[in-house]
Amino acid sequence: MAIMNEDVILKDTLEQLGSEAANRYIAHVYCYGGTCEVCFNDNRFLMEEGDCMIIVSNKLVESVVSSEDFRSKVIYIADSFLEMCSPEGNNYYVKGTMSLFLNPVMKLTSEEREMCRADFEEVERRLRHTSHHFYQEVLMSAIRTLFLDFYEFHVRIYGYVDVPVQGAQILSRFFSMLESGAYRTQREVAYYASALCVVPKYLSELCMKFSGFSANYWIKRFTVQEIKRLLKDKSLTIVQIADMLNFSSPSYLNRYVHKNLGVSPMNYRR
């Protein structure tokens, strides 16, 4: 089953997760039964009945393995539409997003499960009702409610953190740069700090405060995932990959891969 428009897609399988087609979407998943193991950002996460999962970067999904009895609903929301739906004046999404990079699965209480299911059903109902004269507005309202409930789940699990407006804007732009692929040619914190009109130390302090990891960590995470993706494409040579990622030489790429993956590029391909 699939219900969709260009901004929102609702499915009952995870087959699209991790594919190129899902790269411009944020996936929101509710598990109705069974289990699913997702390898995301170099870690494996188990999703079970009653859990919800938010994949904030489809590019960081390496594999998805579901049990035969796995049942779910998945709402894919385009980045641009998601920004329109985000609650105005609420900067909590920054803290939530950074936490979801580290662990995309949230374990819900019985009350939260009912709330989450109701939210998913309302988004589906509004997505189907295309004849509504204010279709986009009511769909956005349903998605905004879903977001606010996700924030509430996240606060219960991780605690509330107030993110100042300026800090939220800087971090949001930093992650947007990484999502758009800036790491393919730029891997120095100084580059991102300069583009964001702050000093490198401040950018790293912001990242550390709200995620527990430095700016350099996040740049490296995106870079390593891209290298792994490219190395899986046997049609590309090591020289080509080095050029694509702006490494000064294949030997520099070799050292970078060995340092971060523990093996050489050739051995990783085996």
Side-chain angles (χ1 to χ4, degrees):
M1 178 204 73
I3 310 167
M4 65 185 74
N5 59 36
E6 63 178 14
D7 296 314
V8 183
I9 301 171
L10 189 143
K11 292 194 171 187
D12 54 12
T13 70
L14 295 180
E15 60 184 15
Q16 190 170 325
L17 199 62
S19 70
E20 291 285 337
N23 278 350
R24 75 181 190 94
Y25 294 91
I26 307 297
H28 306 75
V29 188
Y30 181 80
C31 176
Y32 285 86
T35 61
C36 176
E37 184 180 76
V38 178
C39 186
F40 174 81
N41 195 17
D42 265 352
N43 291 293
R44 296 186 180 279
F45 300 95
L46 181 66
M47 187 182 191
E48 302 174 292
E49 182 176 353
D51 294 346
C52 68
M53 177 173 68
I54 305 175
I55 299 296
V56 291
S57 177
N58 186 65
K59 296 176 183 177
L60 298 182
V61 175
E62 290 191 66
S63 64
V64 180
V65 180
S66 305
S67 63
E68 291 186 3
D69 60 342
F70 180 71
R71 294 180 294 109
S72 69
K73 283 288 177 69
V74 191
I75 302 174
Y76 294 95
I77 306 176
D79 292 334
S80 56
F81 194 71
L82 184 146
E83 187 174 343
M84 292 169 58
C85 295
S86 296
E88 294 181 11
N90 190 318
N91 297 320
Y92 189 79
Y93 75 92
V94 174
K95 169 64 177 175
T97 297
M98 297 185 86
S99 296
L100 291 168
F101 270 109
L102 301 173
N103 184 353
V105 177
M106 287 191 281
K107 302 289 183 181
L108 305 183
T109 65
S110 57
E111 181 180 357
E112 289 169 345
R113 292 176 182 181
E114 292 180 11
M115 193 181 303
C116 193
R117 286 195 297 267
D119 288 340
F120 269 66
E121 289 169 3
E122 180 63 8
V123 171
E124 179 176 352
R125 187 170 75 89
R126 293 302 185 179
L127 188 58
R128 289 179 182 276
H129 196 182
T130 56
S131 62
H132 196 295
H133 284 91
F134 306 97
Y135 173 70
Q136 178 158 303
E137 286 80 0
V138 293
L139 178 59
M140 288 173 61
S141 178
I143 291 174
R144 187 174 291 116
T145 298
L146 176 70
F147 287 168
L148 288 171
D149 283 339
F150 278 140
Y151 292 175
E152 182 69 9
F153 305 157
H154 193 275
V155 168
R156 193 264 304 165
I157 297 170
Y158 297 102
Y160 182 77
V161 177
D162 184 31
V163 185
V165 174
Q166 183 183 22
Q169 291 174 342
I170 291 170
L171 289 175
S172 180
R173 289 171 60 197
F174 173 57
F175 275 89
S176 291
M177 291 175 73
L178 292 175
E179 282 289 323
S180 66
Y183 60 86
R184 293 190 182 96
T185 57
Q186 303 292 339
R187 286 178 285 277
E188 298 295 327
V189 176
Y191 168 82
Y192 295 89
S194 176
L196 297 168
C197 301
V198 297
V199 297
K201 182 180 179 182
Y202 181 65
L203 178 58
S204 281
E205 286 177 348
L206 274 179
C207 288
M208 185 64 72
K209 181 178 181 179
F210 294 109
S211 75
F213 293 93
S214 67
N216 188 59
Y217 166 86
W218 292 110
I219 297 167
K220 188 178 295 184
R221 292 282 7 105
F222 277 83
T223 304
V224 169
Q225 289 301 107
E226 181 71 359
I227 289 173
K228 290 165 70 174
R229 186 185 70 81
L230 293 173
L231 286 174
K232 290 176 182 177
D233 184 350
K234 300 294 182 64
S235 69
L236 296 173
T237 67
I238 302 301
V239 173
Q240 288 174 317
I241 294 174
D243 286 342
M244 291 169 70
L245 296 178
N246 200 35
F247 282 94
S248 58
S249 67
S251 60
Y252 182 22
L253 172 63
N254 185 76
R255 292 195 299 273
Y256 190 93
V257 171
H258 200 280
K259 180 180 179 180
N260 290 285
L261 294 179
V263 295
S264 69
M266 294 305 296
N267 284 335
Y268 181 81
R269 281 186 151 173
R270 292 175 181 170

